[in-house]
Amino acid sequence: MAAILPQARDAIAFARAGDISRALASGEAAVRLAPSDGGLRFFVGMLHTRHHDLTRAVPHLRIAAKLMTDTPIARLELARALIAVGRLDEAEETLAPVAAAGPAGRDLLGLHGLLQQRRGDHHAAIRMFRQAVHRDARDFENWANLGVSLLAIGQSTEAEKAFGDALELRPDLRWARIKRAEAAVGASRGEHALAKARAVADASPNDADAMLLVARIEELLDRPVQAEAALREALARDPRSAPAMIALATLAERDNRVEDCRKLLHRARAAGASVTETAILDARIALRQGDCATVMTVLRDAAAGIDPVARAELIGRCRDRAGDPEGAFLAFTEMNRHIAGQRADPAGEALAFRNRIDARRARATREWRQGWEDILPADRRSDPVFMFGFPRSGTTLLDTFLMGHPGVVVLEEQPVLQAAMDAVGGAVDDPAVLTAESVVAMRAAYFQAADRLAPDAAQKLLIDKAPLGAVEAALVHRLFPQARYIFVERHPCDVVLSGFMAAFDPRGGMANFLSLKDVAQLYDTLTGYWHHCRELFDLPTCNARYERLIVDPQAELGMIADFLGITVHAGMLDHRTTAGKRSHIPTPSYAQVSAPLHSRAAGRWLRYLPVLNDVMPILRPWAERMGYAM
């Protein structure tokens, strides 16, 4: 047996002491002296893995796998690292020689499950993870991975149980605890999970991690103010909690408090946060400054282990700004591929949503409308103004302008209409069947929800902004027959392209944004339904236009103000000040609305003509109908 090099002994000692940086330095020195030592290569590769530097881990593990032919462990760990960095085909080739019937069978099942999970085939992944935990019921890692795939296909209750089984075996598995909370929220048990998490946090007043879980659940429940309060409590418990600082920095960046974000990141790094942990936020701040060179450097240096969706999106933004539409489109395609992997059948969800709109349009005839029971609302509330459009059409920018008026309150993509539907048991597919009692109950629930969100809503002009709200145009008219509408238009090619380039939550109708063709088809379906409803119900509508708003906001706002019966207030013209006062902007446009007006995004589609050619037959008729140049 060859003697162990002194540098290798030092590396082992440092690793045992928890000093991974010094262990790596000694280990790399040893490798330079003995480059063909498989065991040493494996050890150094695993040190890099423990240090969250998979890019440096892979070359060592690759060599170890070639040298260590008497055991599959190097191949298994190499495959695990390759999966983590997205090299799925190479990972599959690496696993091919490993015998399924041997002692590595359970690990092999789990890794093949991970491969399928990363490829978006969650049903296949679930089968493999179930086989793995059947072989070894104490395999916490595969229990947790099973939970991830169950959650992706919408089986939230089963996912919650799988994460619970993993945590029974490994209570310190923080990420599984967070995912179990996500599953609880998905199973409509979010409030229960929050109460349980708060009870644990109260019983452990020095446990910062307990408050981190509370914060995550508050965020999942769309309560950013409460989430921030919980994170500050976590920091009070442990002033050096890097995870709490990074989570706070994330909220600060989302709320356009860039300087707060920078300070928190500086503190997090001082507390031991790695480059990988801060990379996405560092890159987002650099992008705000137009420093795409720094963005690309940060993302390259922390390529492995960071959120692949955010990474691909940032690369796409930089390549778009650099005048590289081909590279940008490839990056956004990669972004959407990763997002699609979070759902079991995103294409099926997208089609089902469009089919539902088509069915509503087919039912919405004049004969159907004439069969409605006329109902006069008995309450004394003025009907809201509804702002519809299409995601990425400019609704967030316009609502920020309108928020500057002291007599206006805007509800931005809040579930107030859902609260109305919940009052009668859920979704209302056919508004014609609603009775007078149902309408009264639904209006009351709507205004109660609005008043909770904006206590002064009854005293001001209420604008309910919902870009996809036109899906419910018939129901809205049934409940609010005196409502007025603002419909925000933007060049169809620009709005469809911009939608494809945004990282949306892929559930339900938003699954359409994962494919350029699906976005175009949704645009055609939804815009067609809106125009049909507008004509059928004679809806009073003001057509606002994004391109006019960014060139001459005063003129466009004057036209909208005349429609609304208000005067243009000075506060309406300073959208950046209004954006700075907003506590939270729950859309992908949060960074753009706080920036100076620019025309960079207008006419962007012309640079992407080669990739838009396939959807031009869908979009051209709408562009021509709206008077846009083609």
mmCIF file of all heavy atoms in Angstrom, residues 251-291:
data_model
loop_
_atom_site.group_PDB
_atom_site.id
_atom_site.type_symbol
_atom_site.label_atom_id
_atom_site.label_comp_id
_atom_site.label_asym_id
_atom_site.label_seq_id
_atom_site.Cartn_x
_atom_site.Cartn_y
_atom_site.Cartn_z
ATOM 1 N N LEU A 251 -35.934 39.910 -0.446
ATOM 2 C CA LEU A 251 -37.137 40.737 -0.332
ATOM 3 C C LEU A 251 -36.826 42.194 -0.653
ATOM 4 O O LEU A 251 -37.617 42.883 -1.312
ATOM 5 C CB LEU A 251 -37.718 40.629 1.082
ATOM 6 C CG LEU A 251 -38.444 39.328 1.425
ATOM 7 C CD1 LEU A 251 -38.925 39.366 2.869
ATOM 8 C CD2 LEU A 251 -39.633 39.104 0.492
ATOM 9 N N ALA A 252 -35.676 42.682 -0.182
ATOM 10 C CA ALA A 252 -35.298 44.075 -0.441
ATOM 11 C C ALA A 252 -35.140 44.319 -1.936
ATOM 12 O O ALA A 252 -35.602 45.338 -2.470
ATOM 13 C CB ALA A 252 -34.010 44.418 0.303
ATOM 14 N N GLU A 253 -34.503 43.387 -2.642
ATOM 15 C CA GLU A 253 -34.335 43.545 -4.083
ATOM 16 C C GLU A 253 -35.683 43.507 -4.782
ATOM 17 O O GLU A 253 -35.934 44.293 -5.711
ATOM 18 C CB GLU A 253 -33.418 42.429 -4.611
ATOM 19 C CG GLU A 253 -32.865 42.682 -6.003
ATOM 20 C CD GLU A 253 -33.758 42.200 -7.118
ATOM 21 O OE1 GLU A 253 -34.561 41.269 -6.869
ATOM 22 O OE2 GLU A 253 -33.681 42.743 -8.239
ATOM 23 N N ARG A 254 -36.564 42.631 -4.334
ATOM 24 C CA ARG A 254 -37.914 42.546 -4.929
ATOM 25 C C ARG A 254 -38.693 43.836 -4.714
ATOM 26 O O ARG A 254 -39.542 44.204 -5.519
ATOM 27 C CB ARG A 254 -38.696 41.376 -4.312
ATOM 28 C CG ARG A 254 -38.348 40.023 -4.810
ATOM 29 C CD ARG A 254 -38.800 39.766 -6.232
ATOM 30 N NE ARG A 254 -40.218 39.471 -6.365
ATOM 31 C CZ ARG A 254 -41.113 40.253 -6.924
ATOM 32 N NH1 ARG A 254 -40.785 41.422 -7.395
ATOM 33 N NH2 ARG A 254 -42.359 39.886 -7.045
ATOM 34 N N ASP A 255 -38.398 44.533 -3.605
ATOM 35 C CA ASP A 255 -39.104 45.778 -3.295
ATOM 36 C C ASP A 255 -38.345 47.005 -3.779
ATOM 37 O O ASP A 255 -38.641 48.132 -3.376
ATOM 38 C CB ASP A 255 -39.352 45.883 -1.791
ATOM 39 C CG ASP A 255 -40.370 44.860 -1.298
ATOM 40 O OD1 ASP A 255 -41.074 44.278 -2.135
ATOM 41 O OD2 ASP A 255 -40.455 44.650 -0.080
ATOM 42 N N ASN A 256 -37.334 46.779 -4.610
ATOM 43 C CA ASN A 256 -36.538 47.861 -5.201
ATOM 44 C C ASN A 256 -35.759 48.668 -4.170
ATOM 45 O O ASN A 256 -35.417 49.833 -4.408
ATOM 46 C CB ASN A 256 -37.435 48.790 -6.041
ATOM 47 C CG ASN A 256 -38.003 48.083 -7.256
ATOM 48 O OD1 ASN A 256 -37.274 47.459 -8.022
ATOM 49 N ND2 ASN A 256 -39.314 48.137 -7.420
ATOM 50 N N ARG A 257 -35.444 48.062 -3.032
ATOM 51 C CA ARG A 257 -34.590 48.705 -2.019
ATOM 52 C C ARG A 257 -33.168 48.182 -2.238
ATOM 53 O O ARG A 257 -32.647 47.371 -1.491
ATOM 54 C CB ARG A 257 -35.112 48.385 -0.613
ATOM 55 C CG ARG A 257 -36.468 49.017 -0.317
ATOM 56 C CD ARG A 257 -36.981 48.712 1.082
ATOM 57 N NE ARG A 257 -37.561 47.381 1.174
ATOM 58 C CZ ARG A 257 -37.117 46.421 1.981
ATOM 59 N NH1 ARG A 257 -36.052 46.630 2.737
ATOM 60 N NH2 ARG A 257 -37.715 45.257 2.014
ATOM 61 N N VAL A 258 -32.558 48.683 -3.299
ATOM 62 C CA VAL A 258 -31.298 48.116 -3.770
ATOM 63 C C VAL A 258 -30.179 48.324 -2.758
ATOM 64 O O VAL A 258 -29.359 47.414 -2.537
ATOM 65 C CB VAL A 258 -30.925 48.722 -5.139
ATOM 66 C CG1 VAL A 258 -29.579 48.192 -5.618
ATOM 67 C CG2 VAL A 258 -32.010 48.406 -6.165
ATOM 68 N N GLU A 259 -30.102 49.509 -2.148
ATOM 69 C CA GLU A 259 -29.030 49.761 -1.192
ATOM 70 C C GLU A 259 -29.167 48.849 0.025
ATOM 71 O O GLU A 259 -28.157 48.347 0.548
ATOM 72 C CB GLU A 259 -29.028 51.229 -0.764
ATOM 73 C CG GLU A 259 -27.783 51.649 0.000
ATOM 74 C CD GLU A 259 -26.490 51.345 -0.745
ATOM 75 O OE1 GLU A 259 -26.448 51.481 -1.979
ATOM 76 O OE2 GLU A 259 -25.505 50.944 -0.077
ATOM 77 N N ASP A 260 -30.399 48.625 0.493
ATOM 78 C CA ASP A 260 -30.611 47.675 1.607
ATOM 79 C C ASP A 260 -30.137 46.286 1.213
ATOM 80 O O ASP A 260 -29.534 45.569 2.019
ATOM 81 C CB ASP A 260 -32.097 47.631 1.984
ATOM 82 C CG ASP A 260 -32.567 48.890 2.688
ATOM 83 O OD1 ASP A 260 -31.702 49.689 3.103
ATOM 84 O OD2 ASP A 260 -33.791 49.069 2.820
ATOM 85 N N CYS A 261 -30.420 45.912 -0.022
ATOM 86 C CA CYS A 261 -30.005 44.596 -0.513
ATOM 87 C C CYS A 261 -28.478 44.477 -0.484
ATOM 88 O O CYS A 261 -27.935 43.471 -0.011
ATOM 89 C CB CYS A 261 -30.534 44.381 -1.927
ATOM 90 S SG CYS A 261 -30.074 42.797 -2.657
ATOM 91 N N ARG A 262 -27.787 45.503 -0.966
ATOM 92 C CA ARG A 262 -26.325 45.473 -0.971
ATOM 93 C C ARG A 262 -25.769 45.306 0.438
ATOM 94 O O ARG A 262 -24.849 44.506 0.673
ATOM 95 C CB ARG A 262 -25.786 46.773 -1.575
ATOM 96 C CG ARG A 262 -25.836 46.865 -3.077
ATOM 97 C CD ARG A 262 -24.903 47.957 -3.561
ATOM 98 N NE ARG A 262 -25.084 48.229 -4.976
ATOM 99 C CZ ARG A 262 -25.849 49.201 -5.458
ATOM 100 N NH1 ARG A 262 -26.515 49.985 -4.621
ATOM 101 N NH2 ARG A 262 -25.961 49.379 -6.754
ATOM 102 N N LYS A 263 -26.299 46.072 1.371
ATOM 103 C CA LYS A 263 -25.796 46.013 2.750
ATOM 104 C C LYS A 263 -26.011 44.635 3.361
ATOM 105 O O LYS A 263 -25.138 44.102 4.047
ATOM 106 C CB LYS A 263 -26.484 47.088 3.600
ATOM 107 C CG LYS A 263 -26.082 48.516 3.236
ATOM 108 C CD LYS A 263 -26.868 49.532 4.051
ATOM 109 C CE LYS A 263 -26.485 50.958 3.678
ATOM 110 N NZ LYS A 263 -27.293 51.964 4.412
ATOM 111 N N LEU A 264 -27.161 44.058 3.101
ATOM 112 C CA LEU A 264 -27.453 42.731 3.641
ATOM 113 C C LEU A 264 -26.540 41.671 3.029
ATOM 114 O O LEU A 264 -26.090 40.753 3.723
ATOM 115 C CB LEU A 264 -28.924 42.384 3.400
ATOM 116 C CG LEU A 264 -29.918 43.102 4.316
ATOM 117 C CD1 LEU A 264 -31.315 43.101 3.722
ATOM 118 C CD2 LEU A 264 -29.928 42.449 5.704
ATOM 119 N N LEU A 265 -26.256 41.786 1.747
ATOM 120 C CA LEU A 265 -25.346 40.836 1.106
ATOM 121 C C LEU A 265 -23.936 40.958 1.686
ATOM 122 O O LEU A 265 -23.247 39.953 1.888
ATOM 123 C CB LEU A 265 -25.319 41.063 -0.400
ATOM 124 C CG LEU A 265 -26.575 40.629 -1.168
ATOM 125 C CD1 LEU A 265 -26.461 41.015 -2.629
ATOM 126 C CD2 LEU A 265 -26.808 39.129 -1.032
ATOM 127 N N HIS A 266 -23.510 42.183 1.942
ATOM 128 C CA HIS A 266 -22.192 42.390 2.556
ATOM 129 C C HIS A 266 -22.130 41.721 3.927
ATOM 130 O O HIS A 266 -21.153 41.029 4.258
ATOM 131 C CB HIS A 266 -21.916 43.891 2.680
ATOM 132 C CG HIS A 266 -20.589 44.211 3.302
ATOM 133 N ND1 HIS A 266 -19.386 44.062 2.632
ATOM 134 C CD2 HIS A 266 -20.271 44.647 4.563
ATOM 135 C CE1 HIS A 266 -18.391 44.398 3.440
ATOM 136 N NE2 HIS A 266 -18.903 44.755 4.610
ATOM 137 N N ARG A 267 -23.185 41.890 4.712
ATOM 138 C CA ARG A 267 -23.239 41.248 6.033
ATOM 139 C C ARG A 267 -23.275 39.727 5.902
ATOM 140 O O ARG A 267 -22.642 39.014 6.693
ATOM 141 C CB ARG A 267 -24.471 41.727 6.803
ATOM 142 C CG ARG A 267 -24.419 43.167 7.280
ATOM 143 C CD ARG A 267 -25.714 43.574 7.931
ATOM 144 N NE ARG A 267 -26.038 42.729 9.066
ATOM 145 C CZ ARG A 267 -27.228 42.728 9.680
ATOM 146 N NH1 ARG A 267 -28.203 43.504 9.239
ATOM 147 N NH2 ARG A 267 -27.446 41.933 10.715
ATOM 148 N N ALA A 268 -24.007 39.231 4.908
ATOM 149 C CA ALA A 268 -24.110 37.779 4.727
ATOM 150 C C ALA A 268 -22.757 37.179 4.378
ATOM 151 O O ALA A 268 -22.372 36.123 4.900
ATOM 152 C CB ALA A 268 -25.133 37.458 3.634
ATOM 153 N N ARG A 269 -22.005 37.859 3.514
ATOM 154 C CA ARG A 269 -20.680 37.345 3.163
ATOM 155 C C ARG A 269 -19.746 37.375 4.362
ATOM 156 O O ARG A 269 -18.957 36.452 4.576
ATOM 157 C CB ARG A 269 -20.112 38.158 1.994
ATOM 158 C CG ARG A 269 -20.705 37.768 0.641
ATOM 159 C CD ARG A 269 -19.972 38.446 -0.497
ATOM 160 N NE ARG A 269 -20.389 39.828 -0.636
ATOM 161 C CZ ARG A 269 -21.358 40.255 -1.442
ATOM 162 N NH1 ARG A 269 -22.030 39.380 -2.183
ATOM 163 N NH2 ARG A 269 -21.653 41.533 -1.529
ATOM 164 N N ALA A 270 -19.870 38.421 5.173
ATOM 165 C CA ALA A 270 -19.045 38.505 6.378
ATOM 166 C C ALA A 270 -19.400 37.395 7.366
ATOM 167 O O ALA A 270 -18.560 36.956 8.158
ATOM 168 C CB ALA A 270 -19.214 39.870 7.046
ATOM 169 N N ALA A 271 -20.652 36.927 7.289
ATOM 170 C CA ALA A 271 -21.108 35.854 8.177
ATOM 171 C C ALA A 271 -20.824 34.476 7.604
ATOM 172 O O ALA A 271 -21.212 33.464 8.208
ATOM 173 C CB ALA A 271 -22.595 36.010 8.468
ATOM 174 N N GLY A 272 -20.180 34.412 6.441
ATOM 175 C CA GLY A 272 -19.782 33.118 5.887
ATOM 176 C C GLY A 272 -20.570 32.650 4.686
ATOM 177 O O GLY A 272 -20.371 31.515 4.233
ATOM 178 N N ALA A 273 -21.468 33.486 4.144
ATOM 179 C CA ALA A 273 -22.220 33.071 2.956
ATOM 180 C C ALA A 273 -21.265 32.875 1.786
ATOM 181 O O ALA A 273 -20.325 33.650 1.594
ATOM 182 C CB ALA A 273 -23.275 34.114 2.606
ATOM 183 N N SER A 274 -21.503 31.840 0.999
ATOM 184 C CA SER A 274 -20.619 31.531 -0.132
ATOM 185 C C SER A 274 -20.988 32.370 -1.354
ATOM 186 O O SER A 274 -22.067 32.973 -1.427
ATOM 187 C CB SER A 274 -20.736 30.048 -0.491
ATOM 188 O OG SER A 274 -22.018 29.771 -1.033
ATOM 189 N N VAL A 275 -20.089 32.380 -2.322
ATOM 190 C CA VAL A 275 -20.338 33.061 -3.592
ATOM 191 C C VAL A 275 -21.585 32.502 -4.252
ATOM 192 O O VAL A 275 -22.393 33.239 -4.830
ATOM 193 C CB VAL A 275 -19.113 32.899 -4.524
ATOM 194 C CG1 VAL A 275 -19.427 33.406 -5.925
ATOM 195 C CG2 VAL A 275 -17.910 33.631 -3.951
ATOM 196 N N THR A 276 -21.766 31.190 -4.154
ATOM 197 C CA THR A 276 -22.934 30.554 -4.756
ATOM 198 C C THR A 276 -24.221 31.071 -4.135
ATOM 199 O O THR A 276 -25.206 31.329 -4.839
ATOM 200 C CB THR A 276 -22.849 29.025 -4.579
ATOM 201 O OG1 THR A 276 -21.675 28.551 -5.242
ATOM 202 C CG2 THR A 276 -24.071 28.336 -5.154
ATOM 203 N N GLU A 277 -24.220 31.249 -2.825
ATOM 204 C CA GLU A 277 -25.448 31.666 -2.127
ATOM 205 C C GLU A 277 -25.854 33.094 -2.469
ATOM 206 O O GLU A 277 -27.038 33.429 -2.421
ATOM 207 C CB GLU A 277 -25.260 31.516 -0.620
ATOM 208 C CG GLU A 277 -25.183 30.073 -0.152
ATOM 209 C CD GLU A 277 -24.823 29.956 1.313
ATOM 210 O OE1 GLU A 277 -23.768 30.489 1.720
ATOM 211 O OE2 GLU A 277 -25.595 29.328 2.063
ATOM 212 N N THR A 278 -24.913 33.948 -2.804
ATOM 213 C CA THR A 278 -25.236 35.349 -3.096
ATOM 214 C C THR A 278 -25.225 35.665 -4.589
ATOM 215 O O THR A 278 -25.544 36.785 -4.983
ATOM 216 C CB THR A 278 -24.241 36.292 -2.390
ATOM 217 O OG1 THR A 278 -22.927 36.093 -2.929
ATOM 218 C CG2 THR A 278 -24.225 36.051 -0.884
ATOM 219 N N ALA A 279 -24.886 34.693 -5.421
ATOM 220 C CA ALA A 279 -24.631 34.965 -6.841
ATOM 221 C C ALA A 279 -25.826 35.592 -7.552
ATOM 222 O O ALA A 279 -25.670 36.569 -8.299
ATOM 223 C CB ALA A 279 -24.210 33.675 -7.544
ATOM 224 N N ILE A 280 -27.017 35.036 -7.370
ATOM 225 C CA ILE A 280 -28.180 35.535 -8.110
ATOM 226 C C ILE A 280 -28.463 36.989 -7.749
ATOM 227 O O ILE A 280 -28.706 37.829 -8.633
ATOM 228 C CB ILE A 280 -29.414 34.658 -7.846
ATOM 229 C CG1 ILE A 280 -29.211 33.256 -8.448
ATOM 230 C CG2 ILE A 280 -30.666 35.300 -8.413
ATOM 231 C CD1 ILE A 280 -29.015 33.230 -9.944
ATOM 232 N N LEU A 281 -28.418 37.319 -6.458
ATOM 233 C CA LEU A 281 -28.676 38.703 -6.056
ATOM 234 C C LEU A 281 -27.567 39.633 -6.535
ATOM 235 O O LEU A 281 -27.830 40.761 -6.966
ATOM 236 C CB LEU A 281 -28.837 38.791 -4.543
ATOM 237 C CG LEU A 281 -30.145 38.217 -3.993
ATOM 238 C CD1 LEU A 281 -30.127 38.192 -2.483
ATOM 239 C CD2 LEU A 281 -31.340 39.021 -4.493
ATOM 240 N N ASP A 282 -26.316 39.181 -6.459
ATOM 241 C CA ASP A 282 -25.205 39.990 -6.973
ATOM 242 C C ASP A 282 -25.422 40.289 -8.459
ATOM 243 O O ASP A 282 -25.209 41.417 -8.926
ATOM 244 C CB ASP A 282 -23.877 39.254 -6.789
ATOM 245 C CG ASP A 282 -23.433 39.190 -5.331
ATOM 246 O OD1 ASP A 282 -23.806 40.097 -4.561
ATOM 247 O OD2 ASP A 282 -22.720 38.239 -4.975
ATOM 248 N N ALA A 283 -25.855 39.281 -9.200
ATOM 249 C CA ALA A 283 -26.066 39.444 -10.637
ATOM 250 C C ALA A 283 -27.246 40.375 -10.916
ATOM 251 O O ALA A 283 -27.201 41.201 -11.839
ATOM 252 C CB ALA A 283 -26.289 38.084 -11.298
ATOM 253 N N ARG A 284 -28.305 40.274 -10.128
ATOM 254 C CA ARG A 284 -29.469 41.146 -10.353
ATOM 255 C C ARG A 284 -29.126 42.609 -10.093
ATOM 256 O O ARG A 284 -29.590 43.506 -10.816
ATOM 257 C CB ARG A 284 -30.628 40.696 -9.464
ATOM 258 C CG ARG A 284 -31.327 39.454 -9.994
ATOM 259 C CD ARG A 284 -32.455 39.003 -9.109
ATOM 260 N NE ARG A 284 -33.151 37.883 -9.722
ATOM 261 C CZ ARG A 284 -33.876 36.986 -9.060
ATOM 262 N NH1 ARG A 284 -33.982 37.075 -7.734
ATOM 263 N NH2 ARG A 284 -34.481 36.009 -9.696
ATOM 264 N N ILE A 285 -28.335 42.853 -9.073
ATOM 265 C CA ILE A 285 -27.926 44.233 -8.792
ATOM 266 C C ILE A 285 -27.050 44.752 -9.924
ATOM 267 O O ILE A 285 -27.216 45.896 -10.379
ATOM 268 C CB ILE A 285 -27.203 44.310 -7.437
ATOM 269 C CG1 ILE A 285 -28.209 44.086 -6.299
ATOM 270 C CG2 ILE A 285 -26.512 45.655 -7.264
ATOM 271 C CD1 ILE A 285 -27.580 44.003 -4.932
ATOM 272 N N ALA A 286 -26.135 43.930 -10.405
ATOM 273 C CA ALA A 286 -25.281 44.349 -11.515
ATOM 274 C C ALA A 286 -26.109 44.630 -12.767
ATOM 275 O O ALA A 286 -25.836 45.588 -13.509
ATOM 276 C CB ALA A 286 -24.233 43.275 -11.797
ATOM 277 N N LEU A 287 -27.142 43.825 -13.014
ATOM 278 C CA LEU A 287 -27.993 44.029 -14.178
ATOM 279 C C LEU A 287 -28.732 45.363 -14.077
ATOM 280 O O LEU A 287 -28.896 46.073 -15.080
ATOM 281 C CB LEU A 287 -28.990 42.881 -14.325
ATOM 282 C CG LEU A 287 -29.900 42.936 -15.555
ATOM 283 C CD1 LEU A 287 -29.080 42.854 -16.833
ATOM 284 C CD2 LEU A 287 -30.933 41.813 -15.520
ATOM 285 N N ARG A 288 -29.175 45.723 -12.895
ATOM 286 C CA ARG A 288 -29.848 47.016 -12.701
ATOM 287 C C ARG A 288 -28.927 48.168 -13.087
ATOM 288 O O ARG A 288 -29.385 49.223 -13.535
ATOM 289 C CB ARG A 288 -30.270 47.177 -11.236
ATOM 290 C CG ARG A 288 -31.507 46.368 -10.816
ATOM 291 C CD ARG A 288 -31.716 46.523 -9.325
ATOM 292 N NE ARG A 288 -32.884 45.800 -8.825
ATOM 293 C CZ ARG A 288 -34.097 46.335 -8.680
ATOM 294 N NH1 ARG A 288 -34.299 47.595 -9.001
ATOM 295 N NH2 ARG A 288 -35.096 45.620 -8.204
ATOM 296 N N GLN A 289 -27.627 47.976 -12.884
ATOM 297 C CA GLN A 289 -26.652 49.014 -13.216
ATOM 298 C C GLN A 289 -26.189 48.931 -14.662
ATOM 299 O O GLN A 289 -25.338 49.718 -15.093
ATOM 300 C CB GLN A 289 -25.439 48.893 -12.285
ATOM 301 C CG GLN A 289 -25.790 49.096 -10.817
ATOM 302 C CD GLN A 289 -24.636 48.741 -9.892
ATOM 303 O OE1 GLN A 289 -23.853 47.838 -10.174
ATOM 304 N NE2 GLN A 289 -24.528 49.462 -8.780
ATOM 305 N N GLY A 290 -26.731 47.965 -15.404
ATOM 306 C CA GLY A 290 -26.334 47.800 -16.794
ATOM 307 C C GLY A 290 -24.984 47.141 -16.959
ATOM 308 O O GLY A 290 -24.402 47.168 -18.055
ATOM 309 N N ASP A 291 -24.467 46.533 -15.895
ATOM 310 C CA ASP A 291 -23.126 45.922 -15.923
ATOM 311 C C ASP A 291 -23.244 44.440 -16.252
ATOM 312 O O ASP A 291 -23.101 43.573 -15.380
ATOM 313 C CB ASP A 291 -22.449 46.139 -14.569
ATOM 314 C CG ASP A 291 -20.991 45.678 -14.561
ATOM 315 O OD1 ASP A 291 -20.538 45.151 -15.590
ATOM 316 O OD2 ASP A 291 -20.332 45.823 -13.517
#
